[in-house]
Amino acid sequence: MLDRSRIREGGDAAGALRDTVGLARDAEAWGYHRFWVSEHHGVPGIAGSAPTVLAAAVAGATSSIRVGTGGVMLPNHRPLVVAEQFGVLEALFPGRIDMGLGRSVGFTDGVRGALGYGKEAAGEFAARLDELLGWFRGTQQAHPGVRALPSEGLRVPPFVLATGEGAGIAAAAGLPLVIGDLSGRAKVLAAIERYRAAFRPSVWAAEPYVVVAGTVAVAGTEEEAARLLVSEAWSMAYARTHGTFPPLPAPEAVAGRPTTARQREFYEAGLRGHVHGTEEGVRAALAEVAAVTGADELLVTTSSHDRAALRDSYRRLARLAGLRPAAPRAAPSRTAHRAPRAPGR
């Protein structure tokens, strides 16, 4: 599960962040395998701007679910700092931390300027990724004599988010791939095929590992499930036409708002291509996604103004998938938690 800490109209950032932590507790109780948080800067409708800080809060409030980022945008940060942050997380919560990494840069020139990096930083992703992984292995050569502590020697499973050239970079580095969303099925399948064909085994993964991401909404009826998608679709359409992502409105408020033809086009597109419906229909749809993509995991992200309906959707999804809560993890020994393993399985 990925949660972006969406702010709702009438709510605030603090409430959105607390909702994220509460949702993580629920996800653990329902049996989800991972809970990831995201990184967004200067976005009025999203409170999650510091993913490693939020991941620490989530990990501290849970006991067994894996916690990670979907993801930390590496062009916005120095690799040493990212390595140190994940090293601290892994040291505090051994065997439970995932390191999801993306290559997106800030959304506007102002945000990029405030972060200190321009659009060209996205082109440096492969080099920064190599340096970051080197800090964990103690093999980086960019800064001789410098060590990342407590990260060095720890094994935090890395994942690459496939944006732009991300799939090729993941294959070359021998890392697990996170790709989506389900609304662009043909592009996703082509990228997965390229990734698997070009994959080079590494100390991080011996074979290709694919996590397919998408929006999924489950409810008692098709209409109720579709209603869950309305708030996000409207806010995204507004962002595409106004340049800023606003807080999520209530679904009933969307119908009465004036929209331009272009905004309506984006809104209707935002409602298409997602998996939504009753438990029976969603079970069949996700089985097809898994079969067609050969995914090792499915990552679900859903945003809605109605938090109760959102939780009900995730609860139904856990039930139809046959998820069961994991037992609380005992802290592993230092040698056990440094040993090579598959991506957090």
Side-chain angles (χ1 to χ4, degrees):
M1 187 187 299
L2 168 67
D3 190 69
R4 292 189 172 92
S5 302
R6 296 282 204 248
I7 300 172
R8 293 171 290 166
E9 286 187 353
D12 58 16
L17 293 170
R18 286 192 291 267
D19 281 343
T20 292
V21 175
L23 184 60
R25 292 194 191 99
D26 288 340
E28 181 173 77
W30 295 327
Y32 283 87
H33 181 53
R34 309 182 196 272
F35 189 93
W36 285 4
V37 296
S38 62
E39 175 182 339
H40 297 272
H41 299 281
V43 181
I46 302 178
S49 57
T52 53
V53 176
L54 185 52
V58 168
T62 54
S63 62
S64 61
I65 195 168
R66 295 195 64 88
V67 178
T69 55
V72 165
M73 296 300 124
L74 202 50
N76 297 336
H77 311 281
R78 296 303 306 172
L80 171 61
V81 175
V82 176
E84 290 172 336
Q85 291 173 345
F86 279 98
V88 169
L89 285 170
E90 178 67 17
L92 289 172
F93 307 102
R96 292 183 57 206
I97 302 301
D98 296 328
M99 184 169 60
L101 306 163
R103 63 189 296 272
S104 295
V105 295
F107 185 64
T108 66
D109 289 338
V111 169
R112 289 189 290 270
L115 291 170
Y117 299 104
K119 291 182 179 180
E120 70 282 355
E124 302 169 2
F125 177 72
R128 293 194 184 198
L129 178 63
D130 182 67
E131 180 185 334
L132 172 62
L133 299 179
W135 287 116
F136 283 94
R137 299 190 64 202
T139 59
Q140 68 82 27
Q141 300 298 318
H143 305 280
V146 182
R147 299 171 64 191
L149 301 173
S151 315
E152 188 174 307
L154 300 183
R155 294 192 62 86
V156 181
F159 296 76
V160 171
L161 279 63
T163 56
E165 300 175 1
I169 293 172
L175 300 181
L177 174 71
V178 181
I179 187 166
D181 58 27
L182 299 175
S183 60
R185 186 78 58 90
K187 290 183 179 180
V188 167
L189 292 176
I192 290 174
E193 183 178 351
R194 292 195 301 270
Y195 165 73
R196 290 192 173 117
F199 185 86
R200 301 175 184 174
S202 73
V203 297
W204 303 100
E207 56 189 20
Y209 195 90
V210 176
V211 181
V212 174
T215 296
V216 179
V218 194
T221 67
E222 292 277 348
E223 293 75 16
E224 290 171 344
R227 184 175 182 272
L228 275 166
L229 305 175
V230 168
S231 301
E232 172 83 356
W234 187 90
S235 290
M236 186 60 70
Y238 186 94
R240 296 288 298 273
T241 53
H242 291 76
T244 183
F245 189 95
L248 296 174
E252 56 270 18
V254 170
R257 296 189 176 181
T259 56
T260 65
R262 183 166 174 77
Q263 190 172 346
R264 188 73 189 178
E265 180 182 346
F266 283 129
Y267 170 70
E268 291 176 352
L271 295 174
R272 294 194 296 267
H274 307 300
V275 174
H276 71 281
T278 62
E279 291 182 39
E280 182 178 354
V282 169
R283 180 187 291 110
L286 292 182
E288 179 188 1
V289 169
V292 171
T293 64
D296 296 283
E297 297 184 39
L298 298 178
L299 184 148
V300 180
T301 179
T302 310
S303 298
S304 176
H305 183 275
D306 189 337
R307 298 295 292 184
L310 179 66
R311 278 174 161 76
D312 182 64
S313 174
Y314 279 131
R315 187 185 300 109
R316 289 172 180 269
L317 180 58
R319 184 167 60 204
L320 71 87
L323 302 185
R324 296 290 184 271
R329 296 170 184 257
S333 67
R334 297 290 289 181
T335 53
H337 123 243
R338 292 167 184 260
R341 59 182 298 174
R345 302 276 306 168

